[in-house]
Amino acid sequence: APYVQKLTSNVKVDGAALTKTIGFNSNITVWDFTADDFVNGGFAGQAATYNGLSFTNAKSHNNVYLYSGTGTVSVPVKGDCKIAVSACYQYSFYFESETESTVGVKTGSTS
Protein backbone atom coordinates (compact mmCIF):
# COMPACT_ATOMS: atom_id res chain seq x y z
CA ALA A 1 0.00 0.00 0.00
CA PRO A 2 1.24 3.51 -0.75
CA TYR A 3 2.02 5.83 2.13
CA VAL A 4 1.69 9.61 2.21
CA GLN A 5 3.16 11.85 4.87
CA LYS A 6 0.54 13.46 7.09
CA LEU A 7 0.67 17.21 7.68
CA THR A 8 3.78 17.86 9.71
CA SER A 9 4.83 21.12 11.32
CA ASN A 10 8.17 22.68 10.44
CA VAL A 11 11.11 21.83 12.67
CA LYS A 12 14.01 24.16 13.37
CA VAL A 13 17.14 22.72 14.94
CA ASP A 14 19.61 25.22 16.36
CA GLY A 15 22.46 23.09 17.67
CA ALA A 16 20.26 20.99 19.96
CA ALA A 17 19.14 17.36 19.85
CA LEU A 18 15.57 17.06 18.68
CA THR A 19 13.02 14.30 18.17
CA LYS A 20 10.08 14.70 15.81
CA THR A 21 7.38 12.13 15.06
CA ILE A 22 6.29 12.09 11.44
CA GLY A 23 3.01 10.29 10.70
CA PHE A 24 2.04 8.50 7.52
CA ASN A 25 -1.34 7.57 6.06
CA SER A 26 -1.96 4.52 3.86
CA ASN A 27 -5.75 4.85 3.48
CA ILE A 28 -5.92 7.41 0.66
CA THR A 29 -9.33 7.77 -0.96
CA VAL A 30 -9.28 11.32 -2.36
CA TRP A 31 -6.68 12.91 -4.63
CA ASP A 32 -6.19 16.68 -4.74
CA PHE A 33 -5.18 17.63 -8.28
CA THR A 34 -4.82 21.29 -7.27
CA ALA A 35 -1.99 20.51 -4.81
CA ASP A 36 1.42 21.97 -5.69
CA ASP A 37 3.14 18.58 -5.61
CA PHE A 38 0.76 17.33 -8.31
CA VAL A 39 0.57 20.51 -10.42
CA ASN A 40 4.36 20.87 -10.45
CA GLY A 41 5.09 17.13 -10.54
CA GLY A 42 6.23 17.03 -14.16
CA PHE A 43 4.30 13.81 -14.89
CA ALA A 44 3.40 14.51 -18.54
CA GLY A 45 4.37 11.83 -21.05
CA GLN A 46 5.51 9.22 -18.55
CA ALA A 47 4.26 6.52 -16.23
CA ALA A 48 3.99 7.90 -12.71
CA THR A 49 2.26 7.63 -9.35
CA TYR A 50 0.71 10.27 -7.14
CA ASN A 51 -0.30 9.24 -3.62
CA GLY A 52 -0.93 5.66 -4.75
CA LEU A 53 -2.79 6.58 -7.94
CA SER A 54 -0.95 5.17 -10.98
CA PHE A 55 -1.25 6.75 -14.42
CA THR A 56 0.34 7.09 -17.83
CA ASN A 57 0.42 10.10 -20.13
CA ALA A 58 -1.25 12.30 -17.49
CA LYS A 59 -0.75 15.87 -16.42
CA SER A 60 -2.37 18.72 -14.55
CA HIS A 61 -5.02 20.48 -16.62
CA ASN A 62 -5.70 24.11 -15.63
CA ASN A 63 -4.09 23.30 -12.24
CA VAL A 64 -7.41 21.66 -11.30
CA TYR A 65 -7.90 18.32 -13.08
CA LEU A 66 -6.02 15.15 -13.88
CA TYR A 67 -5.92 14.91 -17.67
CA SER A 68 -4.81 11.58 -19.08
CA GLY A 69 -5.71 11.85 -22.77
CA THR A 70 -4.82 8.49 -24.32
CA GLY A 71 -3.28 7.26 -21.08
CA THR A 72 -4.60 5.10 -18.26
CA VAL A 73 -5.40 5.76 -14.61
CA SER A 74 -5.33 2.94 -12.05
CA VAL A 75 -7.19 3.51 -8.79
CA PRO A 76 -6.17 1.35 -5.83
CA VAL A 77 -9.29 -0.31 -4.41
CA LYS A 78 -9.51 -2.47 -1.29
CA GLY A 79 -12.45 -4.77 -0.69
CA ASP A 80 -16.05 -4.11 -1.62
CA CYS A 81 -16.41 -0.40 -2.34
CA LYS A 82 -17.67 2.16 -4.83
CA ILE A 83 -15.59 4.46 -6.99
CA ALA A 84 -16.95 7.90 -7.88
CA VAL A 85 -15.41 9.58 -10.92
CA SER A 86 -16.17 13.17 -11.90
CA ALA A 87 -15.61 14.39 -15.44
CA CYS A 88 -15.93 17.50 -17.50
CA TYR A 89 -15.81 18.23 -21.20
CA GLN A 90 -15.47 15.06 -23.27
CA TYR A 91 -14.70 11.80 -21.51
CA SER A 92 -14.47 8.05 -21.85
CA PHE A 93 -14.13 5.64 -18.93
CA TYR A 94 -13.34 1.95 -19.05
CA PHE A 95 -13.56 0.11 -15.74
CA GLU A 96 -12.09 -3.30 -15.09
CA SER A 97 -11.25 -5.47 -12.12
CA GLU A 98 -8.49 -8.02 -11.69
CA THR A 99 -10.84 -10.28 -9.73
CA GLU A 100 -14.22 -9.76 -11.40
CA SER A 101 -15.30 -10.27 -14.98
CA THR A 102 -17.74 -7.33 -15.00
CA VAL A 103 -16.61 -4.33 -17.01
CA GLY A 104 -18.28 -0.95 -17.29
CA VAL A 105 -17.81 1.62 -20.05
CA LYS A 106 -19.06 5.22 -19.99
CA THR A 107 -18.58 7.78 -22.75
CA GLY A 108 -20.17 11.18 -23.16
CA SER A 109 -19.87 14.91 -22.87
CA THR A 110 -20.82 17.52 -20.28
CA SER A 111 -21.24 20.25 -22.90
Side-chain angles (χ1 to χ4, degrees):
Y3 289 90
V4 175
Q5 182 177 336
K6 292 181 179 180
L7 288 177
T8 306
S9 61
N10 292 332
V11 176
K12 183 177 179 181
V13 178
D14 191 11
L18 179 71
T19 301
K20 176 72 176 181
T21 301
I22 299 174
F24 290 86
N25 184 2
S26 66
N27 189 23
I28 303 158
T29 58
V30 175
W31 292 268
D32 181 3
F33 301 121
T34 65
D36 286 342
D37 57 340
F38 179 78
V39 171
N40 300 314
F43 302 119
Q46 62 183 346
T49 61
Y50 173 66
N51 294 347
L53 193 69
S54 300
F55 47 83
T56 61
N57 196 38
K59 63 182 180 178
S60 173
H61 180 67
N62 294 335
N63 297 338
V64 176
Y65 308 104
L66 168 68
Y67 173 75
S68 185
T70 60
T72 61
V73 178
S74 297
V75 180
V77 177
K78 298 178 198 170
D80 187 25
C81 64
K82 292 182 180 180
I83 298 174
V85 178
S86 299
C88 59
Y89 307 111
Q90 214 170 4
Y91 60 89
S92 179
F93 300 123
Y94 175 79
F95 297 93
E96 64 182 355
S97 170
E98 294 176 359
T99 59
E100 295 182 26
S101 60
T102 57
V103 175
V105 177
K106 177 68 176 170
T107 301
S109 175
T110 58
S111 51

